[in-house]
Amino acid sequence: MLPRYARPEMTAIWAPENRYRIWFEVEALAAEGMARIGAIPESAARTIREKGAPKLAAMNAADIERIDAIERETRHDVIAFLTWLAEAIGPDSRFVHQGMTSSDVLDTCLSVQLTQAADLLLADIDAVLAALKARALEHKYTLTIGRSHGIHAEPTTFGLKLAGHYAEFARDRDRLIAARTEVAVTAISGAVGTFAHLDPSVEAFVAEALGLRVEPVSTQIIPRDRHAAFFCTLGIIASGIERLATEVRHLQRSEVREAEEFFHPGQKGSSAMPHKRNPVLSENLCGLARIVRATVVPALENVTLWHERDISHSSVERAIGPDATVTLDFALMRLAGMTQKLLVYPDRMLANLESLGGVVHSGEVLLALTKAGISREDAYRIVQGCAMATWTRLGTLDGRSFRANLDADPDVAARVRPAELDAAMDPALHLRSVDRIFERVFG
């Protein structure tokens, strides 16, 4: 995690203080669950909570260093924490962690952290959705050229472009809710997951208190297909970010100039060329998306572990958990801000739409010719010929518009009335279903 691309709310989830507080909560709840069934004295569970909670609430850098120092000797992070905790709790610390294994604490903690991260990411997606909806409604009828293969195709509206991205992020939101649900599980089942030394009711008690579900079969860890699904979802969201950012990058090109990122007062685009206004935010977003997607393959590879457990997944998750969530959180909020302030140039969009002499209306003209009784094969040949005559002579002295070439074609002149060509080449016909599409997307 680089501070440059991190926000404090998400970073705090992965800080040692939060991790240790969750560890304590798991241990304290487990003790309380055991006390409920008489496995340990109720007074011991009370002491664990009453002495441990203030210790964790007041945790500072010195405490973290103390735990680290113990770990340097024990070579075991959970034992180091339990040793530090025992210093505060006293004799009743012998009832902490009874019947449990380290993964009970570590995996449950990771589940809590991932659900905390998911809640922040859901709020981030809501901010992106709000920005996209506002701008889509603003430009619902703003005509622009649609492009396929990077080449002018037919007119669309800028609002429809944004509505498509809105629909994608709405799907992403549903995916993230599902991924959060899948990873929100706990395992308090002991060594190799058999509950040999504690009752399953303790697991259920901890799960309910933490807002989690129990893992049906936990071996000694929570199966990593759940985590793989979570990180795959983050990767899909990152790809949606990059898709929108790439659109902005293309629209900001000097030859296009249909939209561009907001250029702040005092901002500089280049150390050498003072005229530059570069799409730095969208380029940055494309790069950040790659970082998030880079966590997907390691998460998938974590699914395959030896027998009931090994720790090959552990080092991976220590890296990809913070990296993916912190980076995606930052990227989503940057995308929301960029979308809110995006500069849109409708006049330039219209000029680009008309820049090829009208050939972008070839599809509707083709239909007009077939409706006039010309076979589709002949109509295609005629329309393509007139379009290519326009295309190849753009900007030359003998160049003619698409309409002029159509009017000069004897087959067209004999079969199609000028009013029909006018209707076929009216960009407004591409607006007639915009309301229905927006109804589908926004309700």
Side-chain angles (χ1 to χ4, degrees):
M1 297 183 297
L2 295 176
R4 184 183 184 94
Y5 304 126
R7 300 198 311 147
E9 297 88 348
M10 186 65 83
T11 302
I13 290 173
W14 303 101
E17 294 87 346
N18 189 52
R19 180 172 72 252
Y20 291 137
R21 285 166 188 156
I22 297 170
W23 286 11
F24 170 74
E25 192 63 23
V26 173
E27 295 285 6
L29 286 170
E32 289 162 358
M34 285 185 271
R36 284 162 58 93
I37 60 174
I40 68 171
E42 289 186 6
S43 60
R46 262 195 318 275
T47 299
I48 292 167
R49 173 72 68 181
E50 290 173 357
K51 291 189 175 181
K55 181 75 169 174
L56 270 294
M59 175 173 270
N60 55 35
D63 293 308
I64 294 170
E65 173 53 34
R66 170 65 179 147
I67 296 171
D68 290 344
I70 299 171
E71 184 179 355
R72 284 193 290 271
E73 178 183 349
T74 62
R75 307 291 178 175
H76 196 290
D77 53 355
V78 174
I79 291 176
F81 171 74
L82 293 174
T83 301
W84 171 84
L85 185 62
E87 295 171 351
I89 293 175
D92 280 339
S93 64
R94 68 186 187 277
F95 295 112
V96 176
H97 203 71
Q98 283 211 354
M100 296 169 61
T101 187
S102 299
S103 293
D104 293 336
V105 179
L106 296 172
D107 277 12
T108 301
C109 175
L110 181 59
S111 294
V112 173
Q113 288 175 303
L114 291 177
T115 55
Q116 290 175 343
D119 290 339
L120 287 182
L121 293 173
L122 286 167
D124 296 342
I125 292 177
D126 286 341
V128 172
L129 288 170
L132 284 170
K133 181 177 181 179
R135 301 312 300 273
L137 292 171
E138 178 186 353
H139 292 285
K140 185 176 183 179
Y141 304 114
T142 300
L143 280 166
T144 189
I145 187 63
R147 298 172 173 90
S148 55
H149 306 277
I151 306 301
H152 284 202
E154 290 191 353
T156 182
T157 79
F158 192 62
L160 279 177
K161 281 178 175 278
L162 297 179
H165 290 284
Y166 177 97
E168 180 176 353
F169 279 104
R171 293 191 295 274
D172 285 337
R173 192 181 195 284
D174 291 339
R175 292 182 182 113
L176 185 53
I177 290 173
R180 184 196 187 282
T181 300
E182 184 163 4
V183 82
V185 295
T186 186
I188 309 291
S189 53
V192 303
T194 61
F195 296 99
H197 309 294
L198 72 167
D199 192 86
S201 65
V202 174
E203 180 183 63
F205 178 79
V206 175
E208 183 177 4
L210 294 176
L212 305 174
R213 294 171 295 114
V214 298
E215 174 58 50
V217 183
S218 56
T219 66
Q220 189 163 315
I221 62 167
I222 295 171
R224 258 42 191 182
D225 62 293
R226 295 182 179 276
H227 304 76
F230 186 89
F231 286 99
C232 284
T233 298
L234 302 192
I236 292 171
I237 297 170
S239 292
I241 293 173
E242 185 169 11
R243 187 170 82 91
L244 179 50
T246 299
E247 179 74 16
V248 172
R249 291 173 66 185
H250 282 301
L251 296 180
Q252 189 163 334
R253 284 181 298 148
S254 302
E255 297 82 1
V256 180
R257 290 176 46 236
E258 294 180 0
E260 67 173 340
E261 297 171 7
F262 181 77
F263 201 75
H264 294 266
Q267 183 175 342
K268 305 293 188 292
S270 166
S271 63
M273 296 165 284
H275 73 278
K276 295 295 291 295
R277 292 164 67 102
N278 299 328
V280 292
L281 298 180
S282 49
E283 289 175 340
N284 173 256
L285 288 171
C286 290
L288 295 176
R290 296 168 192 169
I291 295 173
V292 177
R293 283 198 303 271
T295 68
V296 172
V297 171
L300 291 168
E301 291 175 338
N302 277 353
V303 174
T304 306
L305 300 174
W306 286 21
H307 308 301
E308 278 58 55
R309 74 158 296 193
D310 63 53
I311 63 164
S312 60
H313 65 287
S314 177
S315 57
V316 177
E317 289 168 352
R318 289 174 192 267
I320 68 174
D323 284 355
T325 56
V326 171
T327 303
L328 187 60
D329 170 61
F330 181 88
L332 284 167
M333 292 312 297
R334 170 156 284 185
L335 182 67
M338 185 186 75
T339 303
Q340 290 168 352
K341 295 183 177 181
L342 189 70
L343 303 176
V344 181
Y345 304 119
D347 291 343
R348 180 67 182 178
M349 290 178 176
L350 193 59
N352 283 341
L353 189 155
E354 297 172 345
S355 64
L356 296 185
V359 299
V360 296
H361 303 295
S362 67
E364 191 65 25
V365 171
L366 170 65
L367 296 178
L369 267 60
T370 60
K371 291 174 184 176
I374 302 174
S375 71
R376 180 174 177 83
E377 291 73 16
D378 287 342
Y380 195 102
R381 174 182 51 78
I382 293 168
V383 174
Q384 186 180 45
C386 293
M388 292 304 103
T390 302
W391 184 291
T392 57
R393 294 178 177 83
L394 282 172
T396 65
L397 293 176
D398 60 341
R400 292 191 298 188
S401 70
F402 182 48
R403 177 58 185 273
N405 282 320
L406 288 169
D407 288 339
D409 187 283
D411 291 326
V412 176
R415 307 288 289 274
V416 184
R417 293 181 291 112
E420 292 172 328
L421 286 180
D422 290 340
M425 299 184 71
D426 183 359
L429 71 88
H430 297 276
L431 302 176
R432 60 189 177 193
S433 295
V434 169
D435 287 343
R436 295 174 66 182
I437 298 172
F438 266 60
E439 179 68 22
R440 289 177 175 180
V441 176
F442 301 110

